[in-house]
């Protein structure tokens, strides 16, 4: 097995990766910017290296990161998600320097990172894709022609997009005209590439994605699906595994479809095939993410498989430990992305000092966090500061457990999405497992919760404030 792994990331996912290393008796090496001097991943890693004063540049400098890996005696680099995780150049630099990149090879990252190339590969493999462009759109005129032939509403999307950015719905040509320039500009700013394409807008679909694992011997298995339909502005907020909205027949069908997709591109390591499910129960391939996903925790909860450890084993050259029929799931898991944001102010980021943090516990509760009491959340990064994952034997109990844990966790000092999630948990349609990607927009009333904290936590907040005032 690898002896030492460099974690090319920060925040909760860096902590998650360090934990996997520790369980495999692998030494972990962290990197950190000046702003992250006091970050949890630095405290948890066996060794750590400063990558400079700029909050972002150090995490994005593949050459320097690989240099640190080589000089500190690492065998491999895990990129996590975000940052360089879908950057084919990092995989190439690693290959040249004899450092194993824990993920697929550069060609697959490049191919799947380009949504047009991904679509082309899936069409060739007879996987249903969302009707849309065959290539990038070269002009507004071409966009108009294609959109009217597909039929409105359409989605204008950045070809190299990710993280829910660079996507705009256009309901008619009048909306397409300004959005065309807007998406090009967003794509250029966020992804450094101006290419855009058009897809038919599937109205109010369900987002269903399948976790797959593929080893270097051509074995591919799926770990069932996740329902990520609870989204805001195309970004996931709450994810559920398995989807409480699928029949077993649909589950098996989409799982096999994902395996077929992965085999078609000779995929290796962990990956996620994302689909949209329309109101007529058609599944359409949307994209493939060639990395560990934020919400991998819910799949781990229902299958008992440690996806990060599997990634490391696969990268080392070991074959998959499980055959498809040996992979079972049990119960339901729900993940809540706890973001330092104020839902009442359009989810505005709320950075600053965590004056008090208490992690929830008890049966079926898992926390992946990057915060601690006294930690100051820097303003330069993602607002997600913790992930709460709950598991229980059935949908009802999973929801009850989710509510209990959301009431149990204490995050004072910054505003968070916790009270908003509690409202969602009390929504009748959500409870009946009847929701799609329009849920958040369709329920603006859920933002009108009374207070940031339920009464018992409010009392604790007041006593903490008094204690702070008295200098206790
Ligand atoms: P997941 O698909 O794992 O649910 P998200 O789409 O929410 O993940 O993205 C995970 C993280 O990676 C977020 O911090 C997001 O901002 C970032 N991210 C994802 N794709 C890209 C990309 N292509 N470029 C830059 N950041 C990205
Ligand atoms: P990203 O790479 O940013 O994750 P995706 O292509 O996965 O982008 O899309 C993100 C979300 O945007 C989806 O989960 C879905 O809610 C919405 N979306 C994307 N494409 C479509 C489409 N053609 N029709 C309807 N919704 C879409
Ligand atoms: Mg996606």
């Amino acid at each position: 097995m690898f002896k030492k792994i460099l974690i090319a990331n920060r925040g909760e996912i860096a902590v998650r990766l360090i934990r996997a290393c520790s369980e495999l008796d692998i030494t972990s090496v962290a990197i950190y910017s000046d702003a992250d001097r006091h970050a949890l991943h630095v405290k948890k890693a066996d060794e750590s290296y400063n990558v400079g004063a700029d909050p972002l540049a150090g995490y994005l400098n593949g050459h320097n990161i690989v240099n640190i890996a080589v000089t500190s005696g690492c065998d491999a680099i895990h990129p996590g998600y975000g940052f360089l995780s879908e950057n084919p150049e990092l995989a190439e630099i690693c290959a040249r320097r004899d450092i194993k990149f824990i993920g697929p090879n550069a060609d697959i990252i490049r191919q799947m990172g380009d949504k047009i190339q991904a679509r082309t590969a899936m069409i060739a493999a007879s996987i249903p894709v969302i009707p849309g462009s065959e290539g990038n759109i070269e002009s507004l005129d071409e966009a108009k022609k294609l959109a009217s032939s597909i039929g409105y509403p359409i989605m204008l999307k950045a070809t190299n997009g990710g993280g829910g950015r660079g996507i705009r719905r256009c309901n008619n040509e009048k909306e397409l005209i300004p959005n065309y320039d807007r998406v090009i500009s967003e794509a250029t700013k966020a992804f450094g590439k101006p290419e855009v394409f058009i897809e038919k807008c599937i109205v109010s679909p369900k987002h269903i994605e399948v976790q797959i694992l593929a080893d270097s011997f051509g074995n591919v298995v799926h770990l069932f699906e996740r329902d990520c339909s609870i989204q805001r502005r195309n970004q996931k907020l709450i994810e559920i595994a398995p989807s409480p909205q699928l029949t077993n027949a649909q589950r098996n069908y989409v799982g096999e479809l994902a395996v077929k997709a992965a085999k078609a591109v000779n995929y290796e390591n962990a990956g996620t095939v994302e689909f949209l499910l329309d109101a007529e129960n058609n599944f359409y391939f949307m994209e493939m993410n060639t990395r560990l996903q934020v919400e991998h925790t819910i799949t781990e909860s229902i299958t008992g498989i440690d996806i990060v450890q599997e990634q490391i084993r696969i990268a080392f050259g070991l074959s998959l430990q499980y055959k498809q029929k040996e992979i079972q799931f049990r119960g339901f898991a729900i993940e809540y992305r706890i973001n330092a944001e104020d839902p009442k102010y359009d989810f505005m980021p709320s950075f600053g000092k965590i004056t008090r943090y208490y992690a929830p516990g008890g049966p079926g509760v898992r926390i992946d966090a990057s915060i601690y009491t006294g930690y100051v959340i820097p303003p330069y990064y993602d607002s997600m500061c913790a992930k709460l994952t709950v598991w229980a034997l059935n949908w009802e109990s999973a929801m009850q457990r989710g509510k209990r844990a959301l009431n149990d966790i204490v995050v004072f000092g910054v505003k968070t999405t916790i009270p908003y999630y509690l409202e969602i948990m009390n929504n009748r349609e959500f409870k009946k497992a009847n929701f799609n990607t329009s849920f958040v927009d369709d329920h603006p009333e859920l933002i009108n919760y009374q207070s940031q904290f339920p009464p018992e936590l409010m009392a604790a907040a007041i006593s903490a404030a008094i204690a702070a005032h008295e200098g206790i």
Side-chain angles (χ1 to χ4, degrees):
M1 189 29 78
F2 296 127
K3 293 275 178 297
K4 202 169 178 180
I5 295 180
L6 185 142
I7 314 294
N9 217 298
R10 65 177 302 282
E12 68 82 19
I13 197 63
V15 175
R16 165 71 187 94
L17 302 176
I18 291 164
R19 287 185 170 136
C21 288
S22 160
E23 289 180 20
L24 290 169
D25 283 325
I26 296 170
T27 305
S28 56
V29 176
I31 58 170
Y32 64 98
S33 65
D34 284 2
D36 273 339
R37 268 190 320 271
H38 305 295
L40 198 57
H41 74 283
V42 182
K43 298 181 197 296
K44 295 256 182 216
D46 295 311
E47 285 174 30
S48 58
Y49 295 88
N50 181 280
V51 289
D54 187 282
L56 292 170
Y59 292 115
L60 296 171
N61 185 339
H63 282 285
N64 187 46
I65 292 171
V66 177
N67 275 339
I68 295 172
V70 171
T71 52
S72 63
C74 289
D75 323 293
I77 289 183
H78 197 306
Y81 58 71
F83 291 124
L84 295 177
S85 60
E86 289 166 288
N87 181 297
E89 281 92 40
L90 176 64
E92 277 162 359
I93 302 167
C94 284
R96 282 203 297 277
R97 306 284 305 272
D98 206 21
I99 294 283
K100 186 70 195 174
F101 176 82
I102 302 175
N105 68 44
D107 292 340
I108 299 177
I109 299 175
R110 200 168 272 126
Q111 186 185 17
M112 294 296 117
D114 180 311
K115 291 182 181 181
I116 288 287
Q117 282 188 46
R119 286 167 57 83
T120 309
M122 293 307 142
I123 293 167
S126 312
I127 308 277
V129 304
I130 301 168
S133 324
E134 275 170 30
N136 291 309
I137 302 283
E138 305 293 345
S139 67
L140 178 59
D141 255 3
E142 189 187 340
K144 285 181 186 168
K145 278 198 198 107
L146 189 62
S148 61
S149 79
I150 291 172
Y152 288 95
I154 60 100
M155 287 294 212
L156 202 54
K157 296 173 72 167
T159 305
N160 296 280
R165 281 166 302 166
I167 301 177
R168 297 255 173 166
R169 173 175 166 158
C170 310
N171 292 310
N172 48 50
E173 195 169 294
K174 208 170 139 226
E175 290 181 11
L176 172 67
I177 297 166
N179 279 339
Y180 182 72
D181 289 330
R182 243 177 244 152
V183 174
I184 291 180
S185 132
E186 279 170 14
T188 313
K189 258 187 239 146
F191 314 112
K193 295 189 178 148
E195 284 84 17
V196 296
F197 72 105
I198 287 179
E199 266 177 13
K200 183 165 187 59
C201 175
I202 309 291
V203 177
S204 303
K206 296 175 174 90
H207 173 121
I208 304 289
E209 60 181 38
V210 179
Q211 176 72 55
I212 63 106
L213 289 175
D215 67 19
S216 52
F217 306 95
N219 303 305
V220 185
V221 295
H222 70 80
L223 305 187
F224 304 98
E225 81 286 356
R226 298 185 281 254
D227 187 326
C228 311
S229 303
I230 304 294
Q231 309 182 346
R232 176 179 172 272
R233 300 199 176 156
N234 307 317
Q235 288 170 344
K236 301 161 186 167
L237 294 175
I238 296 177
E239 302 98 338
I240 301 150
S243 171
Q245 313 196 81
L246 293 194
T247 63
N248 258 327
Q250 287 177 306
R251 174 163 301 122
N252 292 334
Y253 169 76
V254 76
E256 282 166 20
L257 211 53
V259 168
K260 187 172 161 192
K263 284 189 173 161
V265 296
N266 294 319
Y267 196 79
E268 188 183 322
N269 214 287
T272 298
V273 190
E274 296 190 336
F275 297 91
L276 291 182
L277 175 61
D278 73 9
E280 285 79 47
N281 286 322
N282 301 302
F283 283 100
Y284 298 98
F285 169 88
M286 184 165 57
E287 65 156 345
M288 178 165 196
N289 289 325
T290 57
R291 57 171 165 86
L292 183 64
Q293 211 123 353
V294 172
E295 58 276 18
H296 73 279
T297 59
I298 50 176
T299 302
E300 294 186 327
S301 294
I302 61 161
T303 61
I305 294 175
D306 187 310
I307 295 170
V308 177
Q309 292 193 17
E310 292 305 323
Q311 286 192 290
I312 296 172
R313 287 199 176 92
I314 290 167
F316 189 70
L318 302 176
S319 59
L320 285 178
Q321 307 194 79
Y322 317 92
K323 297 207 166 56
Q324 187 68 58
K325 64 175 186 302
E326 293 164 350
I327 300 169
Q328 310 271 330
F329 69 90
R330 197 161 181 241
F332 284 90
I334 308 175
E335 177 190 78
Y336 306 86
R337 297 192 187 199
I338 300 186
N339 299 338
E341 293 171 358
D342 188 350
K344 284 194 183 294
Y345 284 86
D346 203 25
F347 291 79
M348 188 169 67
S350 171
F351 301 116
K353 184 166 179 171
I354 304 288
T355 52
R356 187 154 170 256
Y357 168 61
Y358 169 78
V365 174
R366 165 178 175 175
I367 270 281
D368 291 76
S370 56
I371 52 173
Y372 52 84
T373 297
Y375 176 67
V376 180
I377 304 179
Y380 315 108
Y381 309 103
D382 233 59
S383 56
M384 193 178 74
C385 61
K387 302 188 307 203
L388 167 63
T389 304
V390 297
W391 175 89
L393 266 180
N394 57 53
W395 175 237
E396 288 282 295
S397 326
M399 282 191 297
Q400 284 300 111
R401 187 157 277 168
K403 269 202 275 187
R404 189 267 292 164
L406 287 167
N407 276 312
D408 201 6
I409 188 171
V410 176
V411 182
F412 288 157
V414 296
K415 297 275 197 293
T416 73
T417 45
I418 295 168
Y420 178 58
Y421 294 156
L422 276 164
E423 294 299 307
I424 295 181
M425 298 313 289
N426 287 323
N427 176 271
R428 205 176 339 160
E429 293 303 308
F430 184 84
K431 282 187 185 165
K432 281 196 296 194
N434 179 23
F435 48 82
N436 56 49
T437 59
S438 302
F439 179 88
V440 166
D441 285 341
D442 288 348
H443 294 283
E445 78 282 1
L446 299 179
I447 270 329
N448 298 326
Y449 48 86
Q450 279 305 305
S451 82
Q452 172 82 354
F453 305 108
E456 67 270 27
L457 291 190
M458 192 51 117
I462 292 165
S463 60
I466 293 170
H469 185 71
E470 289 170 350
I472 297 165

